[in-house]
Amino acid sequence: MKQGTTIITLDNGYHLWTNTQGSGDIHLLCLHGGPGGNHEYWENFGEELSDIGVQVTMYDQLGSFYSDQPDYSDPAIAEKYLTYDYYLNEVEEVRQKLGLDNFYLIGQSWGGALTMMYALKYGQHLKGAIISSMIDNIDEYLTHLKQIRAAALPKEDVEFMEQCEANGDWHNKRYQDCVEVLNREYVDRRYPSPIQHLIPTMATAVYNAFQGDNEFVVTGKLKDFDLRGQLKNIQVPTLLTFGEHETMPLSSARRMAEDIPHSRLETTPSAGHHHMMDNPPVYFSHLKKFILDVENNRFPM
């Protein structure tokens, strides 16, 4: 595959930013979170995985910062493109246009949800799946969020957040200050500089439609996400990787490891939701071991 940045044109006429790094016979396609985030926490994966011969491709999904951004204020556009089916089928179209097959697919958070759905619908194209910091349903996530708030914040702040959410007062400064405390404790524990920008890069129209205002509420379409009855149908080797101090409940991750027939669960200590940046040495050791075990027919072990 061509290295560097390539702009691909989708069949719908929109354009996506893609970037490929490294060389080798092993191919890894990366799906970012959000929805509405971007590729940036994948940028060092080509370098980190170069010693085992992995070529890494990442892209910004439709609506995200480096790709085309439709006018989602148009109800017809929002109805057509702000759907699970659109983003799932976008992964498959990207695969086709990049010429990938028998490849590894990694997704973080929302990208992990897409990875599960892709493995269920298009698993014949996969050599392995890596589900990073995403569980298979939102109900258990919401229960865990209540526990997170109670552990990290005074009771009066928790009650204040709930009042703001009931009133839709998302921009209240005290409310956002509480969100930032939670972010630093459970999302970006190291608050790494590579993901900081002078301007916001989140595609808020996409994020709000699926998630809501922040990581600690779910008011959008994701509130109905539930694949608990389907994970047993994922047949490809699967790595589940989570931070040990993050937004997603590890109890759910352990259950998922039992439900997916050919799976392994790895957790990263001293790390939150973005554990590839909070504790890279451990994260990449787990990822390399998984890929090499699959490549050398040592999986599962």
Side-chain angles (χ1 to χ4, degrees):
M1 287 178 58
K2 174 187 173 184
Q3 294 192 25
T5 296
T6 299
I7 305 300
I8 63 173
T9 303
L10 300 174
D11 292 346
N12 58 29
Y14 287 116
H15 304 88
L16 299 186
W17 180 99
T18 79
N19 183 273
T20 298
Q21 300 175 3
S23 60
D25 296 329
I26 304 170
H27 297 280
L28 175 68
L29 180 64
C30 305
L31 306 179
H32 64 72
N38 64 56
H39 71 279
E40 289 173 340
Y41 48 64
W42 306 122
E43 287 179 342
N44 65 332
F45 273 56
E47 181 179 2
E48 291 284 352
L49 301 177
S50 62
D51 59 331
I52 63 170
V54 178
Q55 189 172 69
V56 177
T57 299
M58 64 206 81
Y59 74 96
D60 271 21
Q61 297 158 24
L62 186 66
S64 292
F65 190 69
Y66 294 87
S67 291
D68 278 358
Q69 298 160 20
D71 180 9
Y72 295 117
S73 66
D74 183 331
I77 292 177
E79 181 179 0
K80 183 174 182 179
Y81 293 110
L82 294 178
T83 70
Y84 290 110
D85 284 345
Y86 169 74
Y87 281 106
L88 172 59
N89 292 325
E90 180 186 85
V91 180
E92 171 59 8
E93 186 173 353
V94 168
R95 178 199 72 80
Q96 293 178 18
K97 292 191 181 302
L98 293 176
L100 293 170
D101 210 355
N102 198 31
F103 69 105
Y104 293 88
L105 182 66
I106 184 171
Q108 194 271 340
S109 195
W110 156 253
L114 290 175
T115 298
M116 291 181 232
M117 292 187 284
Y118 190 91
L120 288 166
K121 185 174 182 180
Y122 298 108
Q124 70 271 22
H125 299 296
L126 294 178
K127 183 178 284 188
I130 302 103
I131 300 164
S132 188
S133 288
M134 185 63 191
I135 64 169
D136 56 358
N137 73 97
I138 294 300
D139 291 342
E140 293 172 6
Y141 172 65
L142 293 174
T143 298
H144 189 57
L145 290 184
K146 292 181 180 179
Q147 298 168 352
I148 282 174
R149 293 192 192 201
L153 297 170
K155 181 180 179 182
E156 56 268 25
D157 281 346
V158 174
E159 292 174 348
F160 182 79
M161 290 188 74
E162 291 172 346
Q163 180 181 359
C164 286
E165 289 159 5
N167 296 333
D169 190 11
W170 304 109
H171 300 296
N172 181 283
K173 183 180 185 305
R174 179 181 168 189
Y175 177 84
Q176 290 298 328
D177 287 345
C178 291
V179 170
E180 185 59 23
V181 170
L182 295 171
N183 278 332
R184 288 178 179 264
E185 184 70 19
Y186 295 101
V187 180
D188 293 311
R189 289 172 63 82
R190 288 180 54 191
Y191 207 67
S193 59
I195 63 168
Q196 297 181 42
H197 289 267
L198 296 176
I199 60 171
T201 60
M202 175 63 73
T204 54
V206 182
Y207 186 78
N208 293 161
F210 283 91
Q211 175 86 17
D213 176 77
N214 61 79
E215 292 295 284
F216 305 96
V217 293
V218 182
T219 57
K221 298 179 181 183
L222 274 170
K223 65 180 181 292
D224 299 320
F225 178 74
D226 193 340
L227 295 177
R228 277 174 287 192
Q230 300 181 49
L231 291 193
K232 63 181 183 295
N233 297 320
I234 294 178
Q235 296 301 314
V236 299
T238 301
L239 174 64
L240 301 160
T241 173
F242 290 75
E244 289 186 359
H245 195 78
E246 71 150 276
T247 57
M248 296 289 168
L250 295 183
S251 58
S252 300
R254 289 188 284 270
R255 175 187 50 73
M256 291 169 63
E258 295 179 357
D259 292 344
I260 300 173
H262 311 289
S263 66
R264 172 189 296 164
L265 171 63
E266 301 280 15
T267 62
T268 302
S270 302
H273 195 52
H274 290 146
H275 53 297
M276 71 279 283
M277 293 185 292
D278 284 339
N279 194 344
V282 174
Y283 179 90
F284 283 108
S285 69
H286 291 158
L287 181 56
K288 288 180 182 181
K289 185 177 188 304
F290 170 73
I291 292 173
L292 289 175
D293 283 349
V294 175
E295 289 295 312
N296 293 288
N297 297 312
R298 299 193 302 256
F299 187 89
M301 290 183 67

